[in-house]
Amino acid sequence: MAEGKSRICLSLTASTLEEDLRLLDSRREFVDMVELRADSLDPTELSHLPSFPKRSGLPVILTIRRRREGGRWNGEEAERRGLLGRSLSGGYAYVDLAEDVHDPALSEAVNRAGGRVIRSLHDFSGMPDRLPERLRALARKPGEIPKLAVMPQSTGDLLALVDAYRQLEDQEKILIGMGEFGLFSRILAAKLGSFLTTCSVAGRQEAAPGHLDPRLLVELYRFRKLDRDSFVCGVIGNPIAHSRSPEFHNRGYEVLGLNGVYVPFLVDDVPAFFRLAEMLDLRGFSVTMPHKRAVLPRLDERDESLRQIGACNTVVHRKDGGWYGTNTDVQGFLNPLQAQAPELMRPETRATVIGAGGGARSVVYALCSLGIRPLILNRTAEKARVLAESFGCESGGLDTDGISRMQNHADLLVQATGVGMEPDTQGDPLPGYRFSGSEVVYDLVYQPLMTVFLKRAKQAGCRIVSGLAMLFSQGAAQFKYYTGLDYPREVLDLKNPIVK
Ligand code: NAP
């Protein structure tokens, strides 16, 4: 293991050793070591524990976790220790002993068998006070590796966790934040200085909350490329698990060979996250629902567009410190339009925007920056009126009157409502509108790629632009802000984002 690297440790919790080995084989190429959770095994398997290290072919941690530590062992303690002792002949590289297990004979037996003790403390309920002191106090004698797994319950909890990593920088340790708030610590184990990160095979019962599949750690989060010098970017939201941004950015880093990673952060407290971003020295972060407004007061410098759009989706750490905010949806919207229909990039273009939410506001701003004043139609006509008023446009409802007014604003139709988006993919925001075939039709929805609205437009002979093109284009603009580099074209081409 190279200096500054961390290990990927697959936790195995099947009921038989055969099944554990089958799981390991399904992920072997992504794993550096395994943890055999013998507390999950059928009792009949336990006599075969000495055979496991050799059969696995990797360094193995032997763990028999008791119920109070989140495990399944409910037998006698003497029996458990006896089992640990009898299994050592198999050549376990590590044996996990909880902090309260004071058994010098067993520890010595582990060392005599060539293994090391991992001295663990799991807190599934929250964050113990004074993390650095707790971790330092864990090891009972030199050579033991202290392991502390905690359960952050909020963004604020993460400040104490990252502070502990900083204070324990030079100490060999395993420090893990569990659950969705702690996810970043599993991905950034090498940067933060954790001896290993634990993971589970997806679709199996997680050995601990927040485990990722090792394939994701390697292929999506580039775990094996990361070290203490890796730069970090990310995306904040609540929820955040569905975000496709990590795939987009990390694929770009991979193609360009950058020493960086892009991480999802579940955030419930925006001011606390800004402090965390400073501590982790984030280069920048993307912002998704519901935080696009909440980040505004925290910015040291704002792009001019934010005043009118009122929502920020990109925050960049300036070289001289401080945070700069912008909204790449504007560029993200305009770039595909420029590529598909350059003749529309002029003030004379007659356009309609359907919708009056956050996406529509960015689109209206973008069109107005070209001198185009679109007609804005929305289900709730009052919201369309308010949006139109701030940009000097006309507005109306999504009714027969609105549709008839579209005839004079039909060079470009932009669909900026959530209608037609998964899971309700049969939705059409304007079933009564008949396309003439000469409109350019742009749908912001990107899941599915082809909405019912776009399909109808295409059948009528219109040129169409998919929301995925905008999504990628705004992501590419963010990529440039965070890395200073153009997003690699070959990744974009792979996805073929623009529907022709
Ligand atoms: P938002 O702020 O919540 O606004 C939702 C809009 O959809 C409102 O105008 C709302 O009308 C309208 N709407 C919702 N349900 C409707 C229905 N059943 N019939 C008619 N209108 C309905 O959402 P947003 O952030 O603007 O996002 C809107 C869509 O654009 C989403 O699908 C989002 O994924 C997409 N988007 C894509 C990109 C991209 O990069 N491609 C960027 C931004 C947004 P009311 O005011 O009457 O409720």
Side-chain angles (χ1 to χ4, degrees):
M1 187 67 49
E3 178 81 20
K5 295 284 182 187
S6 180
R7 297 151 182 82
I8 297 180
C9 178
L10 180 65
S11 290
L12 295 170
T13 55
S15 58
T16 65
L17 293 173
E18 279 306 322
E19 176 65 359
D20 277 334
L21 287 168
R22 202 186 58 70
L23 286 170
L24 169 58
D25 281 337
S26 74
R27 297 293 188 277
R28 187 173 286 278
E29 63 187 294
F30 307 112
V31 168
D32 304 306
M33 57 190 290
V34 296
E35 176 187 38
L36 178 64
R37 284 282 304 275
D39 51 293
S40 296
L41 290 169
D42 290 340
T44 51
E45 295 285 303
L46 297 177
S47 60
H48 303 296
L49 284 179
S51 70
F52 190 78
K54 203 162 183 193
R55 293 173 76 193
S56 77
L58 286 173
V60 184
I61 305 172
L62 176 59
T63 302
I64 307 180
R65 192 134 11 260
R66 296 166 294 187
R67 283 198 184 275
R68 63 170 180 266
E69 293 142 9
R72 296 202 192 142
W73 177 268
N74 58 4
E76 293 296 324
E77 179 59 6
E79 192 190 337
R80 189 176 80 100
R81 294 195 196 174
L83 185 57
L84 286 167
R86 286 194 301 282
S87 305
L88 294 175
S89 61
Y92 282 92
Y94 307 94
V95 174
D96 184 300
L97 297 180
E99 68 159 346
D100 65 333
V101 175
H102 181 55
D103 190 336
L106 181 57
S107 306
E108 265 163 42
V110 172
N111 296 153
R112 266 201 315 277
R116 290 179 75 184
V117 169
I118 293 176
R119 189 62 71 171
S120 66
L121 171 61
H122 294 77
D123 187 338
F124 291 96
S125 65
M127 306 275 292
D129 287 340
R130 302 179 293 109
L131 286 183
E133 288 83 346
R134 288 301 293 271
L135 191 128
R136 278 195 199 102
L138 278 177
R140 286 181 178 264
K141 58 179 211 171
E144 293 192 353
I145 304 173
K147 173 185 179 186
L148 185 51
V150 296
M151 183 68 95
Q153 307 283 351
S154 67
T155 306
D157 281 350
L158 304 181
L159 301 176
L161 181 61
V162 173
D163 185 53
Y165 281 112
R166 294 213 300 204
Q167 289 196 42
L168 299 163
E169 197 175 3
D170 298 322
Q171 170 156 3
E172 189 176 46
K173 67 193 170 293
I174 301 166
L175 181 54
I176 295 170
M178 296 184 286
E180 207 184 342
F181 280 110
L183 190 78
F184 77 99
S185 70
R186 297 189 184 277
I187 297 168
L188 296 179
K191 172 146 187 99
L192 296 170
S194 184
F195 181 79
L196 57 78
T197 198
T198 47
C199 56
S200 300
V201 173
R204 304 282 311 187
Q205 190 202 1
E206 288 177 342
H211 268 188
L212 287 164
D213 189 288
R215 183 195 298 274
L216 279 188
L217 278 172
V218 172
E219 292 190 340
L220 175 59
Y221 294 113
R222 317 183 64 237
F223 191 91
R224 290 195 164 134
K225 310 273 172 70
L226 303 181
D227 56 30
R228 285 185 191 262
D229 298 328
S230 303
F231 72 80
V232 184
C233 294
V235 54
I236 69 168
N238 190 358
I240 196 59
H242 66 286
S243 174
R244 298 179 62 183
S245 295
E247 187 187 350
F248 178 88
H249 288 267
N250 285 320
R251 284 179 69 172
Y253 299 168
E254 184 65 24
V255 169
L256 296 179
L258 304 182
N259 184 8
V261 63
Y262 185 99
V263 181
F265 290 93
L266 177 67
V267 168
D268 65 353
D269 176 343
V270 167
F273 183 77
F274 271 85
R275 294 206 295 284
L276 185 78
E278 296 275 358
M279 291 171 83
L280 289 173
D281 196 20
L282 253 63
R283 277 200 185 175
F285 55 93
S286 314
V287 186
T288 185
M289 301 299 287
H291 300 316
K292 290 184 177 189
R293 291 183 92 79
V295 296
L296 293 173
R298 304 284 149 187
L299 300 172
D300 300 293
E301 183 190 349
R302 292 167 190 75
D303 183 84
E304 168 57 24
S305 64
L306 294 192
R307 195 174 47 80
Q308 277 192 286
I309 298 174
C312 166
N313 76 343
T314 306
V315 177
V316 188
H317 208 184
R318 295 186 315 197
K319 287 218 161 36
D320 60 344
W323 297 98
Y324 166 77
T326 185
N327 193 320
T328 58
D329 277 347
V330 176
Q331 208 181 324
F333 171 76
L334 290 176
N335 288 346
L337 191 62
Q338 168 76 46
Q340 291 287 294
E343 77 283 3
L344 295 185
M345 308 288 284
R346 60 193 180 102
E348 294 74 25
T349 294
R350 297 166 310 163
T352 301
V353 174
I354 304 156
R361 186 167 271 272
S362 297
V363 168
V364 171
Y365 178 90
L367 291 173
C368 288
S369 73
L370 299 174
I372 300 168
R373 292 279 176 270
L375 168 66
I376 302 167
L377 301 181
N378 193 43
R379 176 178 62 177
T380 311
E382 175 58 13
K383 275 173 71 179
R385 191 191 63 74
V386 171
L387 176 59
E389 205 170 81
S390 49
F391 287 95
C393 302
E394 291 177 42
S395 70
L398 276 185
D399 46 26
T400 39
D401 177 53
I403 291 174
S404 69
R405 287 165 67 197
M406 285 174 70
Q407 311 302 332
N408 296 326
H409 299 83
D411 298 330
L412 172 66
L413 305 185
V414 183
Q415 195 307 104
T417 76
V419 180
M421 185 171 68
E422 280 177 4
D424 192 9
T425 54
Q426 291 313 304
D428 184 332
L430 274 184
Y433 181 80
R434 297 283 158 260
F435 294 97
S436 72
S438 62
E439 305 94 333
V440 171
V441 180
Y442 197 146
D443 197 333
L444 262 59
V445 171
Y446 52 84
Q447 263 174 332
L449 199 61
M450 276 294 259
T451 57
V452 165
F453 190 63
L454 278 189
K455 273 186 204 153
R456 281 207 300 121
K458 191 171 184 188
Q459 274 160 11
C462 299
R463 274 180 292 163
I464 60 174
V465 186
S466 151
L468 197 60
M470 173 170 169
L471 186 72
F472 278 11
S473 179
Q474 69 80 20
Q478 291 180 328
F479 191 90
K480 181 105 187 180
Y481 275 114
Y482 303 149
T483 66
L485 301 169
D486 289 329
Y487 193 77
R489 281 275 130 201
E490 56 268 41
V491 182
L492 280 181
D493 290 347
L494 256 181
K495 289 276 185 171
N496 191 21
I498 298 170
V499 182
K500 299 202 169 94

